[in-house]
Amino acid sequence: MKLHFIENRWVEPAGGDSIAVIDPSDGQVFEHIARGNAVDIERAVSAARRAYDGAWSRLSAAERGRLLLKLSARLQAHQEELAQLEARDCGKPLKQARADAAAIVRYFEFYGGAADKLHGDTIPYQAGYTVLTLREPHGVTAHIVPWNYPMQIFGRCVGGALAAGNTCVVKPAEDACLSLLRVAELAAEVGLPEGVLNIVTGFGHEAGDLLVRHPDVDHVSFTGSPAIGRVVVRAAADHHTPVTLELGGKSPQIVFDDADLDALLPVAVNAIVQNAGQTCSAGSRLLVQRGIYEQVLQRLGDLFSGLRVGSAQMDLDCGPLIRHSQQERVAAFLDQARRDGIATVAQGKIAAGAPAGGFYQPPTLLRDVPPQHRLAQEEVFGPVLAAMPFDDEAHAVALANGTDYGLVASVWTRDGARQMRLARAIRSGQVFINNYGAGGGVELPFGGVKASGHGREKGFEALYGFTVLKTIAIRHD
Ligand code: ADP
């Protein structure tokens, strides 16, 4: 069994219980993790507090940054090992897991370099005053990490929190946390002081809930579903703990009739097939101007028909879903689409040789999905793309903004003025023009509006969220 990692040591779960870890590629149990309880959470939070009050606060920002850079280099040296762990644990095709391992290296590089560049301001004020602001860390930060991109999401939240001078307690998802335990071990090896980074594994409603409502936690970062996001905000409200929330989306790609379709088509496929569609920022809605709708569907259908699904090690276009219940959930969405007469344009295939017992779901392209239908409104978190036509710019904007979400959007057009009009009119945390996702973008602030959450992660902007601004007004007349 993998144990908790607290104060740079492996720690037995106080309750002695474990949780089975299942390989999504074949449905078999291959490991166990510790099931955290109140004693484990208490131990981790008090360790993080001691570190915050002690060794971590005594380091300068430059020294903190140097440690994060050392961690980045160490992660790079172990990149393939981490990718293999992540691939098995999450069921990701190896190429995706390798991209995720490269991303965590980059996060610690970025935030290591940023640590000593974060500072406050001086503010011109009345005569006889000097006013300045300090950006101080929150203190002990909690991080609830989901199973879809453990390394990437850990990198963006823990990297930023540590750079800003906080200490961390991380509760990874019960479905996938092995890579993060290894990352924490590597962090200890490069000299991160005891208690600065602690990991308690366990269930969300147990360890996760106890962590976010702990009175000595000063900030919570949560990435996960809107339903649990609401639960977390309520729990954190007990102690007025600030929460950064990233809750997913129903992100549209808007394709005008002057778009470069050769550029669009592979991007549109990747945006929904990457990580089997289990991506907060998946491009799950395709809005196409009516004049080119049939042409786009035909060409996209050809690409979907060629997609192959298999195990992480087979490293095909698409891997399995994370667990059986997720597979059932996606299948239920597709059943409902069939019952409601929504036509399937094309589906990929499960490859011969994919292990029996894996949670495989062929990528599916649906057409003419009514804008108010569940398939056009709700996050499926599977490889299902909902296409629908639009008539003009106003119609496109209304459709794009017509869900509860607002995380990411993209606009495909060669018309520069239209690019800018759409970028401003769409209610969303990120808008991409003639691309989708900008290749990940560690440097690019990321987060949502509406049900997609609030606060920003990634980029320099995230560092502001991991600090509290203090204003100091000095009267000296
Ligand atoms: P999904 O439905 O995709 O599994 P969740 O939102 O349920 O996503 O889970 C995201 C993360 O939130 C996981 O680490 C999970 O353990 C954790 N979690 C689930 N329930 C709670 C809760 N009540 N309090 C804190 N964390 C939770």
Side-chain angles (χ1 to χ4, degrees):
M1 172 173 59
K2 292 283 177 197
L3 306 181
H4 303 308
F5 197 78
I6 301 172
E7 282 192 306
N8 291 357
R9 280 182 291 279
W10 295 110
V11 174
E12 294 273 350
D17 294 330
S18 68
I19 301 170
V21 181
I22 293 170
D23 180 343
S25 293
D26 61 14
Q28 300 297 310
V29 174
F30 71 100
E31 183 54 278
H32 287 82
I33 53 167
R35 178 173 171 178
N37 67 11
V39 175
D40 303 315
I41 290 294
E42 191 57 47
R43 197 177 276 171
V45 172
S46 59
R49 174 61 59 192
R50 277 194 300 282
Y52 182 73
D53 291 340
W56 197 233
S57 308
R58 287 194 291 273
L59 292 186
S60 68
E63 287 167 327
R64 278 201 312 271
R66 237 173 261 139
L67 272 173
L68 299 189
L69 290 171
K70 271 171 95 174
L71 175 55
S72 172
R74 186 71 157 202
L75 296 174
Q76 190 167 29
H78 290 264
Q79 213 166 307
E80 182 58 21
E81 174 198 345
L82 290 166
Q84 293 285 348
L85 261 178
E86 193 88 319
R88 180 154 200 207
D89 210 5
C90 304
K92 285 172 195 273
L94 264 175
K95 52 181 160 306
Q96 177 63 47
R98 288 186 175 124
D100 293 358
I104 193 173
V105 168
R106 177 74 189 118
Y107 274 114
F108 280 98
E109 181 183 51
F110 180 85
Y111 285 118
D116 61 352
K117 290 148 196 93
L118 177 67
H119 53 70
D121 290 319
T122 55
I123 301 175
Y125 194 54
Q126 297 171 16
Y129 280 87
T130 295
V131 180
L132 56 103
T133 59
L134 298 184
R135 290 207 168 267
E136 297 182 330
H138 290 281
V140 174
T141 56
H143 303 264
I144 306 289
V145 176
W147 46 261
N148 57 343
Y149 290 89
M151 282 198 285
Q152 291 223 28
I153 291 169
F154 178 99
R156 80 185 187 199
C157 62
V158 171
L162 293 180
N166 302 279
T167 57
C168 300
V169 178
V170 180
K171 208 299 284 174
E174 50 273 39
D175 296 287
C177 59
L178 301 181
S179 60
L180 302 190
L181 291 166
R182 184 70 179 124
V183 169
E185 192 177 29
L186 294 169
E189 286 173 19
V190 301
L192 211 65
E194 283 179 10
V196 170
L197 170 59
N198 310 279
I199 301 197
V200 175
T201 56
F203 288 119
H205 63 278
E206 295 178 350
D209 180 61
L210 289 161
L211 178 59
V212 299
R213 62 173 73 247
H214 194 289
D216 208 24
V217 164
D218 300 307
H219 181 272
V220 174
S221 300
F222 174 81
T223 305
S225 58
I228 301 297
R230 211 175 279 131
V231 171
V232 164
V233 169
R234 290 202 180 108
D238 278 358
H239 301 287
H240 303 286
T241 312
V243 183
T244 298
L245 283 181
E246 199 269 90
L247 305 176
K250 192 74 190 175
S251 298
Q253 304 221 46
I254 307 168
V255 186
F256 284 90
D257 57 12
D258 64 342
D260 177 352
L261 295 187
D262 292 336
L264 161 79
L265 292 167
V267 172
V269 172
N270 185 56
I272 189 64
V273 168
Q274 176 177 325
N275 216 39
Q278 304 168 118
T279 304
C280 313
S281 55
S284 52
R285 288 189 296 154
L286 189 72
L287 318 183
V288 185
Q289 201 159 16
R290 206 173 292 277
I292 57 165
Y293 186 60
E294 294 304 330
Q295 182 196 351
V296 167
L297 286 188
Q298 194 189 339
R299 290 182 63 183
L300 204 55
D302 290 345
L303 294 175
F304 264 72
S305 304
L307 292 170
R308 292 292 171 269
V309 186
S311 68
Q313 288 298 327
M314 290 165 81
D315 202 13
L316 304 176
D317 305 302
C318 188
L321 298 172
I322 188 72
R323 59 174 112 86
H324 184 56
S325 63
Q326 188 66 16
Q327 190 185 20
E328 285 183 330
R329 186 182 132 83
V330 175
F333 268 104
L334 292 175
D335 283 348
Q336 170 142 26
R338 261 188 297 278
R339 277 200 306 279
D340 295 342
I342 294 174
T344 297
V345 178
Q347 266 197 324
K349 292 193 177 46
I350 297 170
F359 310 131
Y360 300 107
Q361 182 68 46
T364 305
L365 173 61
L366 302 173
R367 61 172 294 158
D368 309 336
V369 179
Q372 295 313 316
H373 195 276
R374 282 186 73 202
L375 263 302
Q377 290 288 328
E378 296 178 25
E379 195 175 34
V380 175
F381 234 51
V384 180
L385 180 57
M388 64 197 81
F390 70 83
D391 296 311
D392 55 20
E393 224 173 279
H395 189 198
V397 170
L399 289 175
N401 289 341
T403 73
D404 289 342
Y405 291 104
L407 189 61
V408 173
S410 80
V411 181
W412 295 81
T413 176
R414 290 184 166 95
D415 179 335
R418 184 151 66 190
Q419 293 169 359
M420 281 314 303
R421 283 194 300 273
L422 269 283
R424 286 173 181 272
I426 292 170
R427 292 197 62 203
S428 168
Q430 290 186 326
V431 178
F432 298 101
I433 307 292
N434 293 331
N435 78 94
Y436 194 83
V442 166
E443 306 84 346
L444 311 183
F446 176 73
V449 298
K450 305 193 285 183
S452 292
H454 50 73
R456 291 292 174 264
E457 304 202 75
K458 303 173 67 165
F460 205 84
E461 186 71 23
L463 294 174
Y464 300 137
F466 283 119
T467 56
V468 182
L469 194 78
K470 180 183 281 172
T471 306
I472 302 176
I474 305 156
R475 185 170 166 187
H476 45 68
D477 57 357

